[in-house]
Amino acid sequence: DQFLRVDALTKSFGTNQVVKGVSFGFGKGEFISLLGPSGCGKTTILRMIAGFETPTTGTIRVAGEDITHLRPNQRKLGMVFQAYALFPNLTVGDNIGFGLKVAGMGREERRARVEEMLRLIGLPGFEKRYPYEMSGGQQQRVALARAIAPKPRLLLLDEPLSALDAKIRVSLRGEIRAIQQDLGITTVFVTHDQEEAMSISDRIVVMNAGHIEQMGSAHEIYNRPQTRFVATFVGQLNTLPAATFGPDRAIRPELVSLAPRPETDMTLTGTVADVGFLGSVLRLRVDVEGAPISIDTFNGHAPPPQRGDTVTLHLARKDVLALGA
Ligand code: ADP
Ligand code: MG
């Protein structure tokens, strides 16, 4: 389970340590996301894996081989950046074939591989186009094809969707995931978008200020966050009244309901302070012992609660999160 292994990795720029002892290991074929707020060190870690930055300390291994000090072109990795990194003066075909040509692949074999890649990304027949003739989403597909054409052993993606608009972003992330699973290529995907990370990843590394807060599947990260930072970064959180629950106890809004559910085993009484309309759901704010509790209820719940109503909230003890600092 150690196809990609990073140990005690640090990076300082001058006196500023931006990566503070990061270690993780992942299996072949896994889709891993580095998730965290802007500035937490995600790109720096990716660039160290790629060989564009030298670690201050620590090691990086791929398939058991120490690659920490190899040059980028010796690492057999493919990389896609945020946006518009295609060679603007080359056709789509020449962009995708670039790495193949550098590797010495002959013209015919190259042409066949480019064609195969264009089919894979859903752009057959686009060989002769230029980047400026295509949408941002199409360009990012081509960038992906260019990265995977030489069959790299690792695919590194640095916020490849963040410059695209919301609809394209969601459809393209599904395509990336499908292609990745198709090829079985081990992938490290950097994003600051928690929904993106949760929807696409086998495992997520949640980062904060240069260190790892938690690693796990989307389910583990969302349902069993180990720190308040993780819990609030990947979702909404209600802090429960300390008088009843003790300090640092919290629950997700969607796990508090106005009606009992099979798993609920306790109730709280409160007063509706606000009703927010979010389309498919209503988000109520209910004051319970002075603590504001947000809860989500399906729009269409009849009759909808009103401000000032006294309501009973149902929740399950097992859903209460105990969070450290
Ligand atoms: P992220 O990708 O999570 O947004 P980065 O890895 O780009 O974060 O940056 C982490 C920190 O390192 C930031 O504070 C950034 O300003 C700093 N940093 C990144 N690259 C350099 C550099 N070449 N020189 C100095 N500081 C840098
Ligand atoms: Mg970045």
Side-chain angles (χ1 to χ4, degrees), residues 42-43 158-159 190:
K42 307 180 296 292
T43 292
D158 193 356
E159 312 230 15
V190 161

Side-chain angles (χ1 to χ4, degrees), residues 11-319:
K11 179 68 181 177
S12 298
F13 294 107
T15 56
N16 187 17
Q17 190 178 51
V18 302
V19 176
K20 301 175 179 168
V22 163
S23 301
F24 54 72
F26 292 106
K28 199 167 164 69
E30 282 200 282
F31 194 113
I32 304 129
S33 287
L34 302 183
L35 171 68
S38 174
C40 74
K42 307 180 296 292
T43 292
T44 303
I45 291 175
L46 208 68
R47 288 173 57 80
M48 288 192 281
I49 296 172
F52 300 131
E53 297 284 357
T54 307
T56 304
T57 62
T59 57
I60 302 165
R61 289 188 183 80
V62 175
E65 180 194 359
D66 186 341
I67 65 162
T68 315
H69 298 288
L70 290 186
R71 276 204 294 262
N73 61 4
Q74 297 173 312
R75 298 189 183 205
K76 299 186 214 104
L77 313 176
M79 188 147 179
V80 178
F81 303 92
Q82 187 167 337
Y84 315 123
L86 295 176
F87 305 118
N89 54 327
L90 296 186
T91 62
V92 164
D94 288 344
N95 263 284
I96 296 174
F98 186 83
L100 306 175
K101 194 171 177 180
V102 169
M105 186 185 280
R107 180 185 296 268
E108 266 318 295
E109 201 183 344
R110 219 159 63 217
R111 202 190 48 74
R113 182 89 179 129
V114 166
E115 214 178 285
E116 181 192 344
M117 287 297 107
L118 284 171
R119 272 200 310 276
L120 186 71
I121 60 168
L123 295 174
F126 273 58
E127 287 89 338
K128 297 276 180 268
R129 302 265 189 121
Y130 281 89
Y132 64 82
E133 298 176 295
M134 299 189 303
S135 69
Q138 289 172 333
Q139 289 185 42
Q140 284 303 71
R141 283 201 190 89
V142 172
L144 178 68
R146 183 178 63 181
I148 61 186
K151 303 191 177 172
R153 49 187 182 172
L154 208 57
L155 178 63
L156 307 176
L157 308 173
D158 193 356
E159 312 230 15
L161 305 173
S162 62
L164 307 173
D165 41 312
K167 275 225 165 91
I168 306 286
R169 203 155 69 219
V170 169
S171 65
L172 196 48
R173 83 182 180 212
E175 288 178 44
I176 289 177
R177 176 58 161 158
I179 289 170
Q180 181 269 338
Q181 289 192 308
D182 225 35
L183 302 178
I185 184 169
T186 314
T187 300
V188 185
F189 179 86
V190 161
T191 181
H192 65 271
D193 181 327
Q194 88 286 353
E195 185 196 299
E196 199 166 276
M198 288 195 288
S199 70
I200 205 174
S201 313
D202 294 309
R203 289 209 268 171
I204 300 172
V205 178
V206 184
M207 294 198 48
N208 176 25
H211 68 268
I212 295 176
E213 287 271 332
Q214 189 172 346
M215 282 188 271
S217 67
H219 277 278
E220 287 161 349
I221 296 287
Y222 188 84
N223 295 329
R224 289 290 142 205
Q226 280 157 17
T227 65
R228 181 165 290 272
F229 176 87
V230 172
T232 52
F233 195 77
V234 301
Q236 305 285 323
L237 207 61
N238 290 311
T239 299
L240 290 164
T244 306
F245 290 87
D248 290 323
R249 294 296 185 273
I251 192 164
R252 299 275 184 218
E254 68 272 22
L255 295 174
V256 184
S257 53
L258 293 174
R261 290 173 283 126
E263 64 272 28
T264 54
D265 55 11
M266 69 180 297
T267 60
L268 298 168
T269 303
T271 309
V272 176
D274 187 46
V275 182
F277 182 69
L278 304 180
S280 61
V281 297
L282 301 175
R283 176 157 291 184
L284 312 182
R285 189 159 51 78
V286 178
D287 284 334
V288 178
E289 300 171 30
I293 305 288
S294 278
I295 80 164
D296 289 348
T297 183
F298 289 114
N299 183 16
H301 183 93
Q306 306 286 312
R307 222 182 121 97
D309 284 357
T310 298
V311 290
T312 302
L313 307 182
H314 299 261
L315 53 103
R317 278 180 179 68
K318 70 171 177 57
D319 293 330

